[in-house]
Amino acid sequence: MIIRGQHSEVVWAVQYTSDLLTNGIGNSGHLYFVMEYDAGHRGTQRDVANGRPFKRFKPTMFTLDLFDRTKDSRYNASFKQVFLANNAATLASGMKLGDTAIFVSPVNVSAAVKATKNYRIIDRAEVLSLGNYRYFPTLTKFLDPLRPSVQEERGSRDFMVARLAETYLIASEALFRSGNITEALTFMNTLRRRAALPGRESAMEITASELNMDFILDERGRELLGEMDRWFDLVRTGTLVDRVRKHNPDAAPNIQAHH
């Protein structure tokens, strides 16, 4: 979590404050990426730590599948998959406050396994199910536990404009486009090693034959997810219509060149 610019990778951030008198409209980014954890589940209720779930931005399955969870730390670092019981009035049988109340699984879970648990399991099939815009892995990088109340929309988190990881991505892309593949690979692999699970640094490295614009866009997706860069990236690289049609089933039928 990056709060008020206190992180070694911050290059430029728009700063907010926890003083509501001087915070203006605040940073409302914490509202939009949270799934509906506070209704329809045993043992949960809305609280400050988990956020106010506007549930506006649900990741596509393509986005979730960008991460190789066997070696890349960014899936678990980016998505909240467990919500703990915080409502004594609606606890399931055998459940205590602080126990798991909801688990959002990245894979499918059989009905037999689900039946052995006293908490709700939302698996891949349910996340993928048609018309489900309520339940999905919650992007955590904008959560704001410093808000003074459950309903408060004016957040105090900094808004990240530029950070070191994107500088490496920009350098890698520029060098790739200019034909300097060796140096482009150095920047890309430095970034990927930093994102590796402990002991999996070498496995995260890619070869020159794997480095192309699709890979660079995928890596920007993994690293900059939710940071409001994607439309600009896809327009800049001339890939918006093609990628939306391939990877976003909700938008694919309607995307046109003028977008």
Side-chain angles (χ1 to χ4, degrees):
M1 173 177 291
I2 301 171
I3 297 178
R4 294 199 262 294
Q6 297 178 7
H7 192 285
S8 61
E9 292 194 13
V10 175
V11 177
W12 178 25
V14 176
Q15 295 184 327
Y16 292 90
T17 173
S18 56
D19 181 354
L20 297 181
L21 292 176
T22 59
N23 202 30
I25 62 172
N27 183 354
S28 63
H30 60 91
L31 297 167
Y32 306 115
F33 298 89
V34 185
M35 76 161 228
E36 188 176 302
Y37 69 90
D38 58 341
H41 309 285
R42 302 297 299 275
T44 63
Q45 61 184 344
R46 186 178 302 180
D47 62 14
V48 174
N50 289 301
R52 186 174 174 183
F54 273 33
K55 51 185 185 294
R56 296 294 192 269
F57 299 145
K58 173 184 177 180
T60 62
M61 293 310 298
F62 171 77
T63 300
L64 297 174
D65 288 343
L66 282 176
F67 301 87
D68 183 341
R69 298 186 305 277
T70 68
K71 58 187 178 183
D72 194 330
S73 69
R74 288 173 294 189
Y75 185 90
N76 287 333
S78 297
F79 295 106
K80 184 178 181 65
Q81 300 169 79
V82 175
F83 290 87
L84 302 180
N86 64 353
N87 185 356
T90 63
L91 294 172
S93 177
M95 181 185 292
K96 303 185 298 297
L97 291 175
D99 287 350
T100 296
I102 306 168
F103 172 50
V104 185
S105 171
V107 299
N108 286 327
V109 179
S110 70
V113 170
K114 289 180 181 179
T116 67
K117 309 299 181 183
N118 65 348
Y119 53 84
R120 173 78 181 274
I121 297 178
I122 298 169
D123 66 4
R124 180 184 176 91
E126 187 169 358
V127 171
L128 187 59
S129 61
L130 186 65
N132 169 26
Y133 299 103
R134 300 170 67 190
Y135 309 135
F136 47 85
T138 288
L139 189 65
T140 60
K141 62 174 68 174
F142 302 110
L143 291 181
D144 190 347
L146 300 183
R147 292 176 300 122
S149 69
V150 169
Q151 299 299 99
E152 182 57 62
E153 297 181 14
R154 294 168 293 176
S156 63
R157 296 272 318 256
D158 286 358
F159 180 84
M160 203 55 51
V161 179
R163 57 188 179 88
L164 187 60
E166 187 179 14
T167 306
Y168 276 70
L169 287 165
I170 291 169
S172 184
E173 180 180 337
L175 289 161
F176 172 79
R177 286 176 176 272
S178 66
N180 190 341
I181 307 302
T182 300
E183 196 170 353
L185 198 64
T186 298
F187 278 98
M188 182 63 71
N189 281 333
T190 299
L191 176 70
R192 286 180 58 79
R193 287 180 66 89
R194 160 267 205 184
L197 290 168
R200 301 288 284 160
E201 290 82 4
S202 295
M204 277 285 279
E205 293 187 357
I206 63 168
T207 64
S209 63
E210 294 174 285
L211 186 64
N212 53 41
M213 278 309 303
D214 274 332
F215 188 92
I216 290 169
L217 285 170
D218 287 352
E219 193 67 20
R220 287 185 67 87
R222 283 182 281 266
E223 183 64 36
L224 304 175
L225 178 61
E227 296 182 27
M228 313 303 171
D229 293 305
R230 197 57 167 178
W231 184 85
F232 299 100
D233 286 345
L234 298 182
V235 170
R236 171 175 59 79
T237 55
T239 57
L240 176 69
V241 173
D242 181 60
R243 279 207 156 217
V244 168
R245 286 177 176 168
K246 284 181 179 178
H247 305 311
N248 189 332
D250 287 331
N254 301 310
I255 187 78
Q256 301 294 331
H258 67 264
H259 293 130

